[in-house]
Amino acid sequence: SAVGFAQTENGKILVGGDASFASSKHSESDLKITTLNFNPNAGYFFMDNLAGGLRLQMGSVTTKFGDFKNKSNAVAVAPFVRYYFVPLSETIKLFGDASYSFGSQKEEAEGEEEKTKYSGFTIAAGPAFFLTENTALELNVFYNSTKIKDVDGRNNIFGVGLGFQIHL
């Protein structure tokens, strides 16, 4: 029946978010970086299977190197576009998601506090498991590339995320 994916049709609203965790440890040193993100979103289906909207990205990064510890918190606004494609079954559909973020980061290290602006993009993809006609649990793999203002180079990270979306 067509009931399975009626929730990604033109005119529907998407509300939800995802959380992600990434951790890396340098193979030859004591450097460890842990990232935790929470990203609520709201969007609108402009056509069947294609939604666009706005995401709020909130994140925390902890860097440890020996006795040195650095913690930063970041908040960004990210317009996004999402496309649902390849129905795998009545209740599972693959999606791709891309966003571009603008934000600021507050960093604390050894009693000092510093604020910096940044921008970046994220590309994610994975399956959406529709638990009911209007709710979906999502798994995704993502790539994020961030550029901090006045700092050379980019910070690139791969990770996994878990999300939940409500389709109205």
Side-chain angles (χ1 to χ4, degrees):
S1 80
V3 173
F5 295 121
Q7 59 275 51
T8 61
E9 68 192 10
N10 183 16
K12 295 282 186 175
I13 293 174
L14 180 72
V15 179
D18 68 53
S20 64
F21 172 82
S23 182
S24 65
K25 188 167 175 49
H26 193 266
S27 60
E28 296 178 22
S29 74
D30 202 17
L31 177 64
K32 184 178 181 188
I33 300 171
T34 307
T35 306
L36 185 62
N37 290 302
F38 178 63
N39 310 306
N41 65 256
Y44 179 79
F45 283 91
F46 295 99
M47 56 189 279
D48 287 358
N49 299 314
L50 180 66
L54 210 52
R55 178 173 291 129
L56 181 62
Q57 296 176 326
M58 299 176 284
S60 171
V61 178
T62 304
T63 305
K64 290 182 185 175
F65 186 73
D67 291 336
F68 176 78
K69 184 177 179 184
N70 178 351
K71 185 167 171 114
S72 68
N73 294 308
V75 176
V77 172
F80 75 90
V81 63
R82 170 177 283 218
Y83 187 68
Y84 288 86
F85 58 98
V86 192
L88 300 179
S89 75
E90 273 296 304
T91 58
I92 304 170
K93 199 173 212 185
L94 291 180
F95 70 91
D97 188 294
S99 61
Y100 193 85
S101 56
F102 308 89
S104 70
Q105 168 179 298
K106 186 169 74 172
E107 198 170 336
E108 291 176 40
E110 299 176 351
E112 298 287 317
E113 193 174 283
E114 185 182 348
K115 266 190 152 174
T116 53
K117 297 218 178 287
Y118 70 91
S119 62
F121 66 89
T122 303
I123 299 168
F129 300 92
F130 287 87
L131 307 174
T132 70
E133 190 177 336
N134 298 94
T135 59
L137 182 65
E138 299 175 344
L139 297 175
N140 69 62
V141 175
F142 68 87
Y143 171 75
N144 172 269
S145 182
T146 303
K147 171 79 174 98
I148 297 172
K149 186 179 177 183
D150 301 327
V151 175
D152 289 341
R154 301 185 72 86
N155 183 30
N156 301 309
I157 192 167
F158 283 96
V160 294
L162 179 65
F164 187 77
Q165 297 290 339
I166 299 170
H167 297 255
L168 305 170

